[in-house]
Amino acid sequence: MLRFALRRCAGLVLPLLLLAGLVLAIAPDPADAAARALGGLPRTVGLVVLVLALGYGAGVPLGLAAAMPAGGPLPLRLMGRLGHGLAAVSGGVPGFLAVAVGVVLAGGVEAAPRMPAAALLLVLAPLAESARLARNALAVQADSGFLLTARSRGLDERAALARYARPLALAAVLATLGPVGTAILCGAVAAEVLFGLPGAGAVLVGALHGGDGGTATAALSALSALALALHVGGSVAAAGLDPRRRTL
Amino acid sequence: MTSVTAAVPHPDHRILTAEGVGVFRPRRGGGAGTDLLSGIHLSLDAAEVVAVVGDEGSGKTLLLRALAGLLPPGVERVGRVAAGRAVLVPADGGLWPGAPLAEQFAAALAPFGLGRGAALRRAERLLTRLHLDNPARWLPLCPHQMGEGNRWRAALALGMAALNGGTGTEETGGLFLADAPGAGLDPTVRARLLHLLADWARESGAAVLLAGRAGDGLDGPADRVLRLSGGSLGPAPERDEAVAAPLVPSGPPVLSVRGLRVAVPLVRGGGGPLVVDDVSFDVGPGETVVLLGESGSGKAVLLRALARLMPAVSGRAAWMGHDLLTLDDGAVRAARGDVQMLFPDPRAALAPTVTLGDQMTEALDALQPGFTPAEQAARAAAALELAGLPLAATGYYPARLPPELAAAAGLARALVTGPRLLLADDPFAALDDGGRGRFLERLLRVQQARSLALVVATADADAACRLAHRVLVMLNGRVVEEAPAADLVRDPRHPFTRALLAAAEGHRPALDGDPPGLFAVPSGCPVRRRCPRVRDFCAQAVPEPEVVRPGHRVSCHYWDVADDGDAGTG
Amino acid sequence: MDGLAGDGFGVSPWRVAWRGFRASRAGVHGLGALAAVCCGGLLEPVLSAGNPTPGGAAKAAVAALDAVAASLLLGGSAAVLAAVVALVWGGGAALAGGRAGPRLVTLAGVAGALPLPLLPLMAGGLLDPDLGLFAVVLGLAAAPAPAVAAHGVLAALLRSDMATAADAAGLTRGAVLLRRVLPAAAVPLLAACWSALPRVLAMEGLAGLVHLGPGHGPAGEGATWGSLLGDAVAGGGPADLLGPGLLLAVTLWALGAIGDGLAQAAATLIPGGRRGAP
């Protein structure tokens, strides 16, 4: 597992070097451009990680509950229904749109605490998407032979699903951290601009409006590095739960 | 409805009693539903092994799930099932991919009071019983890191462990249900494994119910064989199948292969290891030659090289005075009208978006241009009739055809150009037992009607011996025994041939272990690590063919030495 | 054998795929929602003619409907370009094989991991592109993910026994590709490339929201949902946002649902799947 993680991380080196080379080639003052871009990156990282944690933390259990067999205690049934509902609207609420709606409805950015509001608005998309992914991933496992084996040894259907199918479904969901994280990243760019948060996304858009290609390239490179790191993090986390993914 | 509870070996230790068991899908809103299984009476006693065979879709899996109380949603059971502890090994083996084997054995043996250390020692013993080589090496690995044969050994051993800790008595043996055990394995490996499972059942007192296709070797180790057909269980009928008509010699060979070598192209333009090595044989007019071998034997690659679908490294394949291997593209196209091929899964080999009729017309346009549309239609109709299909089949789209119909469609497509040589790559692979018998009969009829020369590659020794005039047994790219089919059945000399024939007849093959992979072929004789006759010399030289009698050659250093404990073919 | 020769085997795979699509509830609902959005766009001239000087929410709604055509045309043309690039990229990798093929796919995989939706922003800020160039950038940014999927579909079919059997039946390499592989791959490829359409619309929306997209011309001239979103956030109120926001959300959801339906349609075409007469 460690070797797999190291190999995936090593795979980041070349793209990161290429991104750094791009900044060096385009920016008239690479050091200044990099400093401005990297200065805003921690806030963007914080926002994206917070949104991912909230979205997956709430969406995945709801999605898993939605794929459980009928019956069970009332709270689980309610969670399942909510998971189905969220999964059904997945894809219709991109992060930037949620941010725009939130800003306009609040009557301007000053009306709400900026960082929590941005996070809450951005979380809608990963919440619905992770619920859909988790529901589908668990449903795919429902006919697996290992579940029959487990049930024939005395486990009931729910317990067998929870013990054997859930880790594999979780792995499938974690493997999507990259693409979902990239979508959140793009929403975070909009959120930083509209809420006036000084993150790398705001630096990017500010530089583009000001015609500063060097700083824009540096900010884009910083955001790209974050997206690549999310991809690697997702695949490593998934491989931790499903050994088959260590050889992919 | 048939009662099949006769001949009970241990009436005092009945493990399973199923009376009047039926499975049905209830209709929405009440009323009579659809019967899937009905009137099943079945009993199993301690240490008894019973096989239930049936064609695809006959309900074998459903029966096992009904007995285990694990029916899928939407179906219900009637009748009485009384069984003690039961374990079901599903069709894919049911190993959990999420943890190493050691964890899975520890969890399975924990209910029997075994700690981790004791559980792993027990696991090693069970895996050794199933002839897994060096089990301590495999226990820390996950299922996907194992080969197919070892995965099945692990799956069955886990089932044994979960049922009675692997060491039951007639009172505590329990019921072991296995759905298509060893499916996908080579026949010798599967037969050996099933016999080992039966040995364990007889020792530990477990009752074993095996379900699968007839012809998959389940009947060999079983005390009783039952057939599931039309939703009911009954005794298995005797097999009565066609055999090839005796060959009347009629002239020189139409295909003469000499010194054929084919390599796997690992990189573009570069060579790889040889998968067919120095193979020579002749095929006469109207003759059927069967290449009999297991996975990795090179039989399919050989056929594809003859059809010019992959390049040969060296050798010669003389067909009607031309070397098929060196013809230019235009001449190859002309030759392909004469030399056609059947593929293992015709449903996947025919285009899904083009009707069968259009595919036949396209083949005629490409290989034999010049026919008018009326002539093309007549040839297509004749090919369909020969393949046993109605004329309406020209409008069929192949992807949705059931396997038997798809096999006939593939045959019709191949026959439309009027070939004189048919190369058939595992033509029975996708068919169940009934379909296999009918298709084999059809192939023999076509051969006689068209005086076709047939070269068939298969791992099914039973079909091979019924279909062939002559059999070439292949192992790791070489022919290790060659003989007329009757001679081979009567007096097989190579240990590998004996094992193949033993597996086909349900006996325990003397060969042990899995076939070596392409990159792990041992020095000397390729079968020496599995062979009961092995001597030191076997590692030193690849055996050369020796003549047993005219027309019968064998490549074994000790073909004339009696086996120690080899069950042979009887 | 006669007993097997039942009816239903002559149903064309296209009809089978359509039945598979219809079996997907989400796909059918998505198609309905998309049709409703398109109808709204077509009815816009009627609505604005009936009330030539609307105000408030009605005006914003009419403006959003007016932008349906521009948004869908821009998105559609960019998605078509993305599909073409994906087919050339993925198909080229499948045909190339050897060492070049896997490298091309790896490149597509790495490109797909980058935040490509920011590429149109870069183009909008640095190149000040017209609508055509912006569509090209959108198409290129949306291509890598479908390229990886297209490679998977085409490489599997090129290696399949179907291609080998067609070769054995005398078809030329070109005929195998055009008459065997591409028709068999059509529905899976459509499902793979369809994802580019919601992706480009979302990218356009993001670019417009931060005023780096097209359509910021004189009142309503070439306006897209993205530009209307940007205008609404910059100075408008909830009423201005409601139209473009709702239409974009419904369209994105509908396109995603149709993609699910197409995936289900593709699954029904797998040989042996859902066998027997319908």
Side-chain angles (χ1 to χ4, degrees), chain B residues 386-478:
Chain B
L386 261 181
L389 287 170
L391 195 59
T394 49
Y396 288 179
Y397 288 92
R400 290 164 57 81
L401 296 177
E404 195 178 344
L405 213 50
L411 179 62
R413 219 293 294 128
L415 291 176
V416 75
T417 59
R420 282 180 281 183
L421 172 64
L422 198 58
L423 307 169
D425 179 9
D426 220 346
F428 318 111
L431 301 174
D432 57 29
D433 191 49
R436 186 163 31 190
R438 285 188 290 272
F439 189 65
L440 195 146
E441 214 169 302
R442 172 70 54 188
L443 215 48
L444 288 173
R445 244 184 279 164
V446 168
Q447 188 196 25
Q448 283 164 18
R450 291 266 177 112
S451 290
L452 271 177
L454 257 177
V455 183
V456 181
T458 182
D460 184 343
D462 178 53
C465 292
R466 283 190 283 123
L467 185 64
H469 295 112
R470 210 147 42 82
V471 179
L472 274 65
V473 182
M474 290 191 69
L475 180 68
N476 290 99
R478 289 173 171 271

Side-chain angles (χ1 to χ4, degrees), chain B residues 99 154 181 242 301 340 363 365 400 406 447 454 482 521 545 557 561:
Chain B
V301 171
Q340 280 288 307
D365 282 339
R400 290 164 57 81
Q447 188 196 25
L454 257 177
E482 177 183 356
V521 181
H557 294 305
V561 173

Side-chain angles (χ1 to χ4, degrees), chain A residues 96-213:
Chain A
F96 71 87
L97 190 55
V99 169
V101 171
V103 166
V104 170
L105 289 182
V109 294
E110 289 76 16
R114 295 187 298 177
M115 186 76 164
L120 278 178
L121 291 167
L122 284 175
V123 90
L124 289 174
L127 182 71
E129 184 65 5
S130 63
R132 185 180 76 91
L133 291 167
R135 182 193 62 177
N136 294 352
L138 192 61
V140 163
Q141 309 281 343
D143 289 330
S144 301
F146 60 79
L147 287 179
L148 269 183
T149 306
R151 288 173 60 198
S152 85
R153 292 180 198 165
L155 281 184
D156 69 49
E157 190 177 1
R158 283 176 169 275
L161 275 169
R163 184 161 169 190
Y164 293 107
R166 193 165 57 191
L168 304 180
L170 275 176
V173 178
L174 286 175
T176 63
L177 270 178
V180 174
T182 303
I184 295 173
L185 190 64
C186 297
V189 170
E192 286 173 5
V193 171
L194 298 185
F195 281 99
L197 297 167
V203 172
L204 170 74
V205 175
L208 288 173
H209 281 300
D212 181 356

